[in-house]
Amino acid sequence: MADKSKLTTGANASSSQQSSNGWSNKRRHITALILARGGSKGIPLKNIKLLAGVPLVGWVLRAALDSDLFDSVWVSTDHDEIEKVGKAWGAQFHRRSLEVSQDSSSSLETMQEFVRQRPEVDVICHIQATSPCLHPRHLREALQVILDQGYDSVFSVVRRHQFRWVEVKQTEGRCSKPLNINPSKRPRRQDWDGELCENGSFYINTRELIEKGVPQTGKVTYYEMPPEYSVDIDVDIDWPVAEQRVVRYGYFGKEELEVVNLLFCSVSGCLTDGHLYISITGEEMVSINSRDLMGIHMLQKDGVEVILISSKDDPVSKTLADKLAERAGCKVMHGVEQRQVVVERLMKERGLVWKKVAYLGTDILDVDCLNLAGLSAAASDAPAEALNAAKYNCHSPAGRGAVREFTDHILLLKKKAKSKMDQDRTDRMSF
């Protein structure tokens, strides 16, 4: 779907203000600020909760950094874990004071504290962490109006076609009244422009407006975003639904999405929980989740080859590995210590490069491959080294759905890539 984002000047803009700031004559320091308090009431630590394998705040940080228009990108928080995540995603860190970290604290108060401590900032773009479908182009287009046309304030909106009525309490015993329609002449959607509502993605204001406590005043305009990009986790609290939206419409970085052809998966610590069970008769057993096996079968059905890897110290013996290969319907390589060497040899045999390969690993042996693979993941209970190297952190632990979760993620990305190709094909046929 083509992005029909657009800018329209607000009614209170006057031509006499267009050059009042003289911005074309001076380079302004533009900063992006993401407010991420740790005390979310609805979803605990919502701002760093994983959404499609990425911390919620990571989606907007990636969009802000890749827009290439900000002189600095900041996360303002009162929480140590949010600070760590923000820094890991490339942001600078602002520790907000206790006074502006209360449930009653407003975003404006927090931004005012920030600008008091940052005298170099001239324009501040407040980006909400709860808007994971924000793209760099949305920010670039909105910022361009600030820079080129001297507007004081730009904020994002979405067009809604919803009929609104006056709220009436049941105990009042009176009738409700329509707010924006004539019920006897209800318009068809195509005959009604709808109404513009703030979607909360971003608010851009000059320093002066923030200092005075009057954002969205002066020469103001709005930036209209299509509804498919207007996802607000404060409203869309059904996380699986939000993940589906992000996979379809989210921004995944500057590089093109690649469709992987091969998945390497470490057996112990990914497919199994790492435990070895021994019966009183001396039989060795491991536990494998049937949902994980189903995930492997789904990948294979979709044309992705799966190869399982185990090391010589792995609890899975050669005999068990053979049985596992039969059950999973794929090749199991036992006793592999030099993971990267073996993986690259198999890739060369198949004429593949790293961006066409997915890797699910769990330990020090897997770190190099996790860093190199086009898609990589680690189970939620994997060591920190593996989690830091992986591009996707699973919600599920090893042997308890991690493999299925990652295979579902791969299949969703394949659908996204196919959808993008279909969209491009449709766009080309339109000319």
Side-chain angles (χ1 to χ4, degrees):
M1 181 179 296
D3 186 352
K4 299 182 178 62
S5 307
K6 56 186 178 182
L7 281 151
T8 306
T9 55
N12 62 335
S14 66
S15 59
S16 62
Q17 293 174 300
Q18 289 185 8
S19 59
S20 60
N21 291 315
W23 288 4
S24 59
N25 300 322
K26 181 182 176 183
R27 177 71 176 90
R28 296 284 179 166
H29 183 105
I30 310 169
T31 192
L33 179 65
I34 294 92
L35 307 182
R37 193 169 66 91
S40 172
K41 296 297 184 184
I43 307 173
L45 285 179
K46 171 183 62 182
N47 293 307
I48 56 173
K49 180 178 170 67
L50 293 178
L51 181 70
V54 173
L56 181 58
V57 71
W59 289 99
V60 294
L61 281 173
R62 180 158 54 194
L65 291 164
D66 283 358
S67 70
D68 296 326
L69 275 179
F70 294 109
D71 297 292
S72 58
V73 177
W74 296 81
V75 169
S76 170
T77 187
D78 59 340
H79 199 279
D80 292 340
E81 288 302 312
I82 297 176
E83 175 187 352
K84 291 178 184 177
V85 172
K87 288 180 176 178
W89 280 83
Q92 298 182 65
F93 166 68
H94 169 73
R95 173 68 71 169
R96 64 173 67 179
S97 68
L98 183 63
E99 288 74 20
V100 296
S101 300
Q102 308 303 314
D103 290 342
S104 58
S105 300
S106 68
S107 297
L108 178 58
E109 291 171 330
T110 309
M111 288 189 287
Q112 287 176 324
E113 178 188 78
F114 175 81
V115 297
R116 282 197 298 269
Q117 298 178 20
R118 300 282 176 266
E120 73 279 7
V121 171
D122 298 301
V123 180
I124 182 169
C125 178
H126 169 209
I127 303 173
Q128 303 230 82
T130 53
S131 302
C133 286
L134 180 67
H135 281 239
R137 67 174 178 272
H138 301 143
L139 296 169
R140 281 195 294 263
E141 291 168 3
L143 276 166
Q144 214 60 49
V145 173
I146 290 276
L147 296 175
D148 294 348
Q149 301 177 37
Y151 281 87
D152 302 307
S153 178
V154 179
F155 57 95
S156 58
V157 300
V158 63
R159 191 174 299 274
R160 302 291 190 197
H161 291 78
Q162 296 174 326
F163 300 132
R164 296 182 293 110
W165 290 73
V166 174
E167 181 180 358
V168 177
K169 305 297 183 184
Q170 291 185 353
T171 55
E172 294 179 3
R174 61 188 179 92
C175 298
S176 180
K177 295 181 179 180
L179 284 172
N180 63 346
I181 59 163
N182 179 349
S184 64
K185 298 180 180 179
R186 295 173 67 92
R188 298 180 303 168
R189 182 183 180 90
Q190 60 267 37
D191 296 329
W192 182 44
D193 290 337
E195 296 181 327
L196 296 177
C197 306
E198 293 184 15
N199 70 353
S201 285
F202 59 84
Y203 300 84
I204 310 175
N205 291 281
T206 63
R207 178 190 188 91
E208 291 75 16
L209 295 184
I210 298 300
E211 288 178 329
K212 293 177 181 178
V214 287
Q216 294 175 287
T217 59
K219 186 180 179 184
V220 62
T221 186
Y222 57 80
Y223 178 84
E224 185 178 348
M225 290 174 61
E228 60 266 26
Y229 297 99
S230 299
V231 176
D232 186 354
I233 301 297
D234 281 335
V235 177
D236 300 333
I237 59 174
D238 187 348
W239 215 261
V241 174
E243 286 189 325
Q244 291 282 347
R245 290 281 298 277
V246 167
V247 167
R248 177 65 180 87
Y249 299 110
Y251 173 68
F252 283 78
K254 293 181 178 180
E255 295 183 2
E256 294 256 348
L257 276 178
E258 296 290 347
V259 177
V260 299
N261 300 102
L262 176 60
L263 168 65
F264 289 96
C265 176
S266 179
V267 174
S268 183
C270 291
L271 190 60
T272 74
D273 57 11
H275 289 92
L276 177 64
Y277 305 93
I278 303 175
S279 70
I280 57 175
T281 59
E283 292 180 309
E284 296 181 346
M285 295 172 287
V286 293
S287 173
I288 297 173
N289 193 310
S290 60
R291 292 178 62 249
D292 288 337
L293 289 178
M294 179 59 68
I296 291 175
H297 295 320
M298 290 168 63
L299 273 187
Q300 293 168 328
K301 185 177 180 180
D302 208 56
V304 179
E305 182 183 4
V306 180
I307 297 178
L308 304 178
I309 300 177
S310 66
S311 64
K312 63 181 180 181
D313 296 326
D314 201 304
V316 178
S317 65
K318 180 65 170 66
T319 303
L320 286 175
D322 291 339
K323 292 184 178 295
L324 179 59
E326 181 181 350
R327 181 63 66 92
C330 61
K331 184 176 183 178
V332 178
M333 303 190 67
H334 186 65
V336 178
E337 301 300 313
Q338 300 295 325
R339 298 288 172 93
Q340 184 178 342
V341 173
V342 173
V343 167
E344 288 182 340
R345 174 175 58 80
L346 293 169
M347 287 166 49
K348 185 176 181 180
E349 291 175 359
R350 289 158 176 77
L352 297 176
V353 292
W354 274 109
K355 64 182 180 180
K356 293 290 187 181
V357 172
Y359 195 97
L360 180 58
T362 186
D363 220 327
I364 303 299
L365 288 172
D366 301 306
V367 167
D368 289 338
C369 293
L370 289 170
N371 279 317
L372 291 167
L375 284 175
S376 61
S380 63
D381 54 350
E385 294 88 348
L387 290 169
N388 290 335
K391 298 176 177 65
Y392 180 100
N393 290 167
C394 296
H395 300 273
S396 307
R400 299 291 185 273
V403 174
R404 175 60 181 269
E405 182 181 337
F406 188 44
T407 56
D408 285 347
H409 180 66
I410 293 171
L411 291 170
L412 281 170
L413 290 180
K414 289 191 70 175
K415 289 181 181 178
K416 180 177 178 66
K418 182 180 184 301
S419 176
K420 179 65 167 60
M421 288 188 290
D422 291 344
Q423 173 184 324
D424 291 344
R425 188 179 302 113
T426 301
D427 289 345
R428 287 196 299 270
M429 291 172 64
S430 300
F431 294 98

